[in-house]
């Protein structure tokens, strides 16, 4: 019997009341119900500094190595991205930039693409606006593909996010629940077929 898919679920926001953190939590519940071994990552907990080449040259922050390990040891990802000015937010870009940087002379992380290559990523978003963050998704997709990830064709965008959740943080509309479930199902389906789970580096 195959081991369960290891899924990393996170939002591109550090705000405690973020709609996308709520959406990520909803996706995590669906993935667990489908048998995945889920890790919920909060980028705020990593406290990543703003990418700086001079800082990198002095010493790569421990949090960056931890992020690389989390990305690498989970073959499936669900990313909930906010939309800022028609694109994904700087906190998400900063995390990806750090994670994709090679660490010179490091036995595991000399290849910057290692945390991304062969991963299956699903992109979802939530926004108070009428488009639900779909423009942020369209920018994030080519970035992940360029780094070697396989991005699920299905996507989900929650419009009018302030009306989308019940008091318990659940999506209150069956059509929205089905849309999010479709993304999670496709990501887990693909991850089970693309490769076996990686061992920790």
């Amino acid at each position: 019997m195959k081991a369960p898919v290891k899924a990393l679920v996170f939002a591109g926001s550090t705000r405690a009341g973020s709609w996308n953190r709520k959406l990520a939590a909803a996706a995590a519940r669906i993935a667990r119900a489908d048998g995945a071994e889920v890790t919920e990552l909060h980028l705020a907990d990593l406290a990543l500094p703003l990418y700086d080449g001079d800082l990198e040259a002095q010493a790569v922050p421990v949090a960056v190595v931890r992020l690389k390990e989390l990305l690498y040891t989970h073959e499936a990802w669900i990313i909930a991205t906010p939309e800022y000015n028609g694109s994904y937010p700087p906190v998400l870009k900063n995390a990806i930039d750090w994670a994709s940087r090679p660490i010179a002379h490091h036995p595991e992380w000399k290849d910057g693409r290692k945390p991304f290559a062969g991963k299956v990523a699903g992109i979802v978003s939530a926004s108070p606006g009428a488009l639900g963050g779909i423009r942020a998704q369209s920018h994030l997709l080519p970035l992940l593909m360029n780094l070697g990830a396989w991005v699920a064709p299905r996507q989900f965008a929650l419009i009018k996010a302030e009306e989308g959740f019940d008091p318990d943080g659940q999506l209150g509309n069956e059509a929205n629940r089905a849309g999010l479930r479709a993304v999670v199902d496709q990501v887990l389906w693909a991850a089970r077929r693309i490769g076996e789970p990686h061992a920790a580096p």
Side-chain angles (χ1 to χ4, degrees):
M1 187 174 180
K2 286 187 176 181
V5 171
K6 295 183 70 175
L8 183 67
V9 182
F10 61 99
S13 174
T14 56
R15 186 172 64 87
S18 163
W19 302 117
N20 283 279
R21 288 182 64 169
K22 290 185 177 183
L23 188 61
R29 287 191 291 269
I30 293 171
R32 285 194 185 96
D34 199 20
E37 182 181 329
V38 178
T39 300
E40 293 183 69
L41 168 65
H42 301 303
L43 292 179
D45 293 341
L46 291 175
L48 292 168
L50 186 65
Y51 175 74
D52 182 329
D54 290 336
L55 174 62
E56 180 183 39
Q58 294 169 17
V60 173
V62 172
V64 171
V65 176
R66 177 59 179 153
L67 177 59
K68 285 175 174 285
E69 291 171 347
L70 283 167
L71 293 171
Y72 181 73
T73 57
H74 293 78
E75 61 267 30
W77 309 338
I78 303 291
I79 305 172
T81 179
E83 181 178 289
Y84 288 9
N85 296 316
S87 189
Y88 49 84
V91 67
L92 181 55
K93 180 63 160 61
N94 187 57
I96 292 172
D97 285 349
W98 269 119
S100 65
R101 292 294 301 167
I103 303 178
H105 311 300
H106 193 290
E108 297 292 343
W109 306 117
K110 289 183 287 188
D111 181 359
R113 289 167 58 91
K114 180 176 177 178
F116 298 87
K119 301 305 178 184
V120 178
I123 303 174
V124 298
S125 60
S127 169
L131 297 179
I134 196 72
R135 293 174 297 181
Q137 295 185 23
S138 70
H139 288 190
L140 182 58
L141 186 151
L143 172 62
L144 294 173
M145 291 181 65
N146 184 61
L147 289 168
W150 185 88
V151 181
R154 282 192 176 274
Q155 298 174 356
F156 171 70
L158 177 65
I159 67 172
K160 299 181 179 178
E162 72 279 8
E163 302 173 7
F165 298 92
D166 66 21
D168 295 326
Q170 305 278 357
L171 286 170
N173 179 290
E174 176 54 34
N176 287 334
R177 291 194 294 270
L180 180 60
R181 189 180 305 113
V183 177
V184 175
D185 286 349
Q186 188 171 73
V187 168
L188 297 182
W189 178 89
R192 290 180 180 118
R193 285 153 180 79
I194 285 179
E196 295 292 333
H198 288 293

